[in-house]
Amino acid sequence: MQNRIATALGFANIAFVKYWGVRDAALNLALNDSISMNLSDATTVTTVEFGPLAEDTLAIDDQPANAAQTARVSRHLDHLRALAGVSLRARVVSRNSFPMGTGLASSAAGFAALTVAGAAALGLDLAERELSAVARLGSGSACRSVPGGFTRWHAGRDHASSYAETIAPPDYWDLRDVLAVVSTEHKAVGSAEGHTLAQTSPFLGARLADLPRRLARVQDALLARDLPMLGEELEAEAIALHVLAMTSRPSILYWEPATLEIMRLCPVWRAAGLLAYFTLDAGPNVHLICEAATVPGLLERLQALPSVQRVIVNGPAGPTHLLP
Ligand code: DP6
């Protein structure tokens, strides 16, 4: 083996159809397919260097990571070590474009970058779909950050069949994700717990029954570049995700007053000619999806709201890739 070091850049993603609920929590096998867009300005750069070390080490944003974070990364590297047939330990150095612990840094970008860098450092020649499946083991949504542009995660039946692929390249549609940050608190209930709790919501069955229709509409809207069609499904999907969370036992309520304020303003702004639609992840911050020309008008309105702490604008991004 020559160089045992590699660096990769991963992008976070925003889901248009969400992953919420696991069939197999050990393998992160989702209950349903999901569709997302990679985000140009939410990135993680990770260097993995294998060597004669006693244990794996992890630094995030120039600070030594805590034991739980290091153990999660170490477990992830175990999958790659098993594929390469080696037991070498690694030094992992990761930097986010946003500070960790603010609710903004994403494990999707992190695990996509870790997978691509780790595989390259071990000299593994994996196809994109294999890299995507491995990334999924670290964080479900990370599988969608491995391929570029607009991607679809096929829920699949087992490890090998549960991966994401591109349905349209990043330059297919000049969409923007205007992220209104209303809270940077660490979320009280993480996604992993939320996926398990989803099974306790009486509405899970209704959501899953409707998803084939929604997935088809969202994919068709993307391919037709039809924003009103996409937007209608986006908003209904975001509400469906949060209804599942709120009706789980125990209930998870991610919204802040400012979340609802922006959700309510969205149709008002549309009536005034700003074509933007909201979506939400498992947290209170609001993502507004629009075309590039709508961004200046939205920024003006968002920045006038006292509850908005900062606004981050993302365009569609390419695949997670190695850096020289
Ligand atoms: C609501 O388990 O992939 O964002 O906590 O980042 O590992 P991490 O998240 P993950 O769940 C993502 C849940 C979601 C919807 C989505 O991205 O599909």
Side-chain angles (χ1 to χ4, degrees), residues 25 129 168:
R129 70 170 57 173

PDB file of all heavy atoms in Angstrom, residues 25 129 168:
ATOM      1  N   ALA A  25     -32.063  -0.493  12.661  1.00  0.00           N
ATOM      2  CA  ALA A  25     -31.287   0.614  13.231  1.00  0.00           C
ATOM      3  C   ALA A  25     -29.782   0.343  13.181  1.00  0.00           C
ATOM      4  O   ALA A  25     -28.983   1.284  13.149  1.00  0.00           O
ATOM      5  CB  ALA A  25     -31.739   0.889  14.658  1.00  0.00           C
ATOM      6  N   ARG A 129     -21.965   3.705  -5.637  1.00  0.00           N
ATOM      7  CA  ARG A 129     -23.092   3.180  -4.864  1.00  0.00           C
ATOM      8  C   ARG A 129     -22.612   2.401  -3.629  1.00  0.00           C
ATOM      9  O   ARG A 129     -23.296   2.377  -2.600  1.00  0.00           O
ATOM     10  CB  ARG A 129     -24.043   2.354  -5.728  1.00  0.00           C
ATOM     11  CG  ARG A 129     -23.529   1.028  -6.204  1.00  0.00           C
ATOM     12  CD  ARG A 129     -24.655   0.239  -6.836  1.00  0.00           C
ATOM     13  NE  ARG A 129     -25.294   0.979  -7.951  1.00  0.00           N
ATOM     14  CZ  ARG A 129     -26.218   0.469  -8.752  1.00  0.00           C
ATOM     15  NH1 ARG A 129     -26.639  -0.773  -8.568  1.00  0.00           N
ATOM     16  NH2 ARG A 129     -26.725   1.173  -9.740  1.00  0.00           N
ATOM     17  N   ALA A 168     -30.616  14.052 -10.874  1.00  0.00           N
ATOM     18  CA  ALA A 168     -30.335  15.190 -11.767  1.00  0.00           C
ATOM     19  C   ALA A 168     -29.049  15.851 -11.282  1.00  0.00           C
ATOM     20  O   ALA A 168     -28.835  15.966 -10.069  1.00  0.00           O
ATOM     21  CB  ALA A 168     -31.488  16.191 -11.755  1.00  0.00           C
TER      22      ALA A 168
END
